[in-house]
Amino acid sequence: MNWRDHLQTRLLAIRPSSVCALDATAHQLARDVLHDIPLFTSDNSPPAQPCALALGIDALNGLDAQQAQHLISRVRLYVAPRLLLAALPGCALDDAAFRALGFTLSTTEPAEGPRIYYYDIETYK
């Protein structure tokens, strides 16, 4: 199963009541997979009401480690209590950094493919 199929499967399994897409690619995927739920986009202001899940595919691209950690913290506090993120090759955060932020590795592609991380405040230690 490739990483996009894995994301689709995870979205269907989680079946969130609403999604905040952190980037255009995440918005397209959520729209294609979850047809009947409210879908919001992330801009510089948080949604009026937290979403059930934040989804990011390209959201961390081009960010340094501090910027990526700030984005993740802002999303967890103001946007959604659960996050599903793709860490594409070149992501400034490594596995240890994601674990330190409370994420679990959901899947990894062979070689240098994207890693998928999941965070849920309900299961955070």
Side-chain angles (χ1 to χ4, degrees), residues 3 9 16 26 28 43 63 68 72 81 85-87 92 95 101 108 110 125:
W3 66 275
T9 301
Q28 182 66 45
D43 52 20
L63 301 181
I72 289 168
L85 294 175
D95 288 336
L101 291 167
T108 184
K125 294 182 190 179

Side-chain angles (χ1 to χ4, degrees), residues 1-8 57 86 88 107 109 114 116:
M1 175 182 307
N2 70 38
W3 66 275
R4 286 188 185 273
D5 292 340
H6 179 79
L7 276 176
Q8 291 177 7
I57 297 174
L88 301 175
T107 190
E109 283 284 297
I116 308 299

Side-chain angles (χ1 to χ4, degrees), residues 12-32:
L12 291 170
I14 295 168
R15 201 71 178 147
S17 58
S18 60
V19 171
C20 181
L22 302 178
D23 55 75
T25 306
H27 186 270
Q28 182 66 45
L29 179 69
R31 189 175 61 194
D32 291 347

